[in-house]
Amino acid sequence: MYEQGRYDEAAEWVRVASESAGEDDLDAALTRQPVEAKLLARRGETEAGERLARATVDLAERTDALNRHAEALLALAEILASPEHLQHALALYEQKGN
């Protein structure tokens, strides 16, 4: 939904996902938080979005989930307009074979 520009719907599903997932559901957090971070930044809460994106990257780095790590880096790249983070994400996708 976010990628389609349906930001209100994306925000609603982020809320539902946040309320539905358990505190210890790492995959749910790594799926939801990049979208939530980008939504925060779009709403003008850039610092909060950046903090969440960085926290998600840190969380993903401690796993072997290359796709989730790349998704977190893409969120951070979008928020910061950072080619370095984008390149790192692409390298992870290539490493995974995507």
Side-chain angles (χ1 to χ4, degrees):
M1 286 174 255
Y2 180 88
E3 296 302 325
Q4 295 174 345
R6 298 166 34 204
Y7 304 119
D8 291 340
E9 288 177 79
E12 177 61 20
W13 282 106
V14 163
R15 184 191 63 75
V16 168
S18 180
E19 291 173 357
S20 301
E23 295 275 330
D24 59 344
D25 191 337
L26 182 60
D27 191 57
L30 291 175
T31 301
R32 170 185 48 85
Q33 289 177 181
V35 177
E36 185 176 2
K38 293 185 292 187
L39 288 167
L40 285 166
R42 287 193 67 76
R43 287 196 309 252
E45 299 177 52
T46 308
E47 289 181 16
E50 180 183 346
R51 276 193 307 275
L52 181 57
R54 287 187 185 280
T56 306
V57 168
D58 290 345
L59 185 61
E61 284 177 343
R62 296 185 299 234
T63 74
D64 61 354
L66 296 180
N67 285 332
R68 298 291 186 231
H69 188 177
E71 290 161 7
L73 285 164
L74 286 178
L76 188 57
E78 180 177 323
I79 292 167
L80 299 177
S82 167
E84 295 85 18
H85 290 98
L86 178 60
Q87 289 299 319
H88 189 185
L90 291 175
L92 289 174
Y93 281 130
E94 289 174 356
Q95 181 180 345
K96 180 69 175 174
N98 294 338

